[in-house]
Amino acid sequence: MHLMGTGLLRPSHWTLWALLCVTCTSAFYIPGYSITRYNDDQPIPLLVNKIFSDHTQLQYAYFDLPFVCPPSGRTHGGSPFGSGQSISLNLGEVLRGDRIMTSDFELAMGKDVECRSLCTRELDRSSVKWARQLIRENYVIEWILDNLPGATSFVTVDRSRKYYASGFKLGNRAISSSTGKSRFLINNHFTIVIRWKGVPEGGKTIVGFEVYPKSVTADGRKEDGCPKDVHKDQDGLELYIPRDMSKLREKYKGLSYIPEDDDDDDDGAKLKVPYTYSVYFREEPKIDWANRWDLYFTNQEEGSMTHWLAIINSLTISTVLGVTVFVIWSRTVQGDIKGRGDGAMEDRKPKGSRRKRSGEKKIENLLDNADVENDADMSSDDEALDDTSGWKLLHGDVFRVPAYSGLLAPLVGSGMQLLFMATGLLLLSCLGILNPSFRGGFVSVGMGLFVFAGLFSGYFSGRLYKTFGGTVWRKNTLITALFFPGLAFCLVLILNLFVWAQASSTAIPFSTLIGLLALWLLIQVPLVYIGSWLGYVRATPWEHPLKTNSVPRQIPPQPWYLRSPAGPLLTGLLPFAVLFIELLFVFKNLWQDKSGYYYVFGFLSAVSAVLLVTVVEVTVIATYSQLCSENYHWWWQSFVTGGSSAFWVFAYCIWFYLFKLHVTGFVSSLLFFSYSFLACAMYGLLTGTVGFLAAYAFVRRVYSGIKVD
C-alpha cells in the first residue's frame, strides 16, 4: 500500500489499463468501404475462386479443374463481361493463391430458382482419379457473392447459435455397405441461400451467403437436366468408371491378379456429371449489414477465455521479470554507483590543496592526449577499483567495437524494418482497417509497410555503422538493402518452382515475381540508401560515456551459460512462454483452418506488447549477468538473447506439424517448414533487434554514472 501511495506503481497501472483497452478491439472491424444495395430482380454476380484443403498447402483455381463446368464466355445479368473473365486482384490476393473469375450462375435479387441446369461434364479416367484424390484430401470450394465467401452453415449443439465456415465440400467419402470399400461422391447440385435485409434508404443488402452442396445421381432426370425432385434424398453420383477387364487381362497377361489401382486411363471411357443449382432468397431481419461477418467469427469468440488466460500468463511472466530488473536497477546498479563507484575512486585520492587539485587537472589533460600512457592509466584505474568487482571493471572495454560489426548493423536495420511493419499491421488491424472484407489486404499493406520502412532500416543501420567506426557506408547500405530481402526472395523463388510443378494456384505468377523484384530493387533499395545517408552522413554517431582502452582486457573464465549456446536458448523460453498460447490460435487459423479467419488482433496486440517488454527485461538481466562476469562481449550476445525465442517457436512449428496439422505430400511439407523457417527468422530479427537496443540503452545509462579520473 505504501508503494501505491507513493505513486511508484502508476506506470504499471497505466500499462495494464492500456493493454486491457487494446483487447477490447478484438471484435471491432470495418466490414467494408461501401454498401451495395440491390433492387428486386437486379442481377447479382457470383464469382468463383479456388479450392483449398486443411490437409495440404496446395490450392487450385476453380476453373482449372477438369471436372467442373468450364466458363461458357456468354454475358448475362447486364454485365459487360462474359463468364471466365478474371477479376483484378491486389498483391495480397495473388500471393495467397486467389484466382477470382466470373461464372455462369444467374442470380437476381428476390427471384427464387427451383432448379436450373448449368452443364453436363464428361470426365475421363484421369479426371475421375484426380477428383477422388481431392475429395480424399477434404478439399472445399470457395465462391464469392457481394464480397462474402460462400459458407457452410452450422448450429451449436443446443441449437441456440448459428455460425459459418467459409467454403463448402467438393464431395463426400462414404463406405459401401455391400463391399466395405470407399465410395467417392461428387457434389453436383448446389442450393444457394442468400439472406438479405432491407435498409431505410431503399433496396436490400446481402447479409448471408450459404451454399448447401449435394450429390445427385445422373439417372432419372428431366429433359432440362434437373432432378425430378431436388429436395428428396437420392442416390449420390459416384466417381467411378467400370474397368475394361478384357484390356486389363491382355495388359497383365500371364499374371494371376490385376492391380486394383490400375484405372486404364487410355480406354476412352467417360463419366457424365450433370451440374445444377437452386437459388432461394430469405429475409434476415436480425443481422445488420455491418455485422454480417460476425457469424464467421463465432468460434473465435468462444475461445475468448483462453485469450484472456494468455494475457494473464503474459502479464505474470513480465511482472516477475520487471521486478527483477527493478531490483537490479535500483539496488545493485545505482546503489553501487552512488555508494562505491565514484566515492571509492575519490576516497583513494590524497586530500591536497586547491593548487594540487588544479595540478591534477593539468595532468589529466596530458594523460587524455597521450596514447602511450593508456596502459598506466588502466592500471591506476584498476588500483582505484581494487575493492570492486564485476561490471565496473569493464569501463574501458564495454564499448569496444564488436567482431563482425559490419554484419550486426545491417541485421539491426532489418530488424527495425520488420518492427515498423509488424507495429503498423497490428495497429491497422486493431482499428478495423485490415479485415476479412479487404481480401488480401493484410499481405498487401504489410508489403507496402515493409518497403516504406526501408528508410528506418537504412537510418538505423547507417548510424550504428558510423558508431562502430565504419568508413565504407555505401557497402553497408547495399548489405542492408540486399541481405535479408534477397535471401527471402531466393527462398520464395525456389519454393515456387516446386509449386509450379504441381500446377497449383499457390504458385506466384511470373509477372508478379517481376513486380516484386521491381518493388524491391527500384523502390526499397533507394529508400534504404536515403535512410542510410541520413543516418551516416547527416546524423552524428551515438556517443558513449566512456573511452575505450587501446589494450583489450583479459576475460576471466566464464560460467557455462556464457560459454555455450544453452544460455541464450534458456533465456528464450521466457518470451516463448508469453507467446505460445496465442500462437496456437494463429497457427490453427493460418495452417489448419484455412477456411476460417483470425480476427482477434486486439488480444494478439496485447500479447505482442507484453512479449516485447519481456524481451527487453530478459535481455537486460542477461546483459547485466554477463557484465558482472567481466565479459564485455555483450553486443552479439544481447542480439542473440533477444531473438533466441525464435528457436522455440520453430520447435513449436515442428510439434504442430507432427501432432496437429496432418499434412500429406512432400511439397506441402516443404512449404510448411520453409515458410515457418522464414517467419521464425523474421521474428528472430525483430526480437533480436529489440533486445539489442534495450541492452545498448541499459549499458549506456549504467556506465554514464561512472567518472574515471
Side-chain angles (χ1 to χ4, degrees), residues 534-562:
L534 292 173
Y536 187 90
V537 178
R538 304 294 296 178
T540 59
W542 284 301
E543 296 182 358
H544 297 152
L546 297 175
K547 295 183 178 180
T548 301
N549 295 331
S550 60
V551 179
R553 180 184 180 86
Q554 185 176 2
I555 300 176
Q558 298 294 295
W560 64 271
Y561 53 83
L562 293 178

Side-chain angles (χ1 to χ4, degrees), residues 27-33 90 96 147 289-290 292-293 297 425 428-443 445 597-599 601:
F28 174 75
Y29 64 95
I30 302 174
Y33 304 102
N90 57 46
R96 69 193 293 263
N147 207 29
W289 185 88
R292 63 179 186 166
W293 282 89
F297 306 145
L425 286 176
L428 294 175
S429 299
C430 290
L431 294 177
I433 298 176
L434 298 180
N435 56 80
S437 66
F438 185 12
R439 186 175 290 102
F442 197 84
V443 178
V445 174
Y597 294 94
Y598 181 88
Y599 213 69
F601 285 104

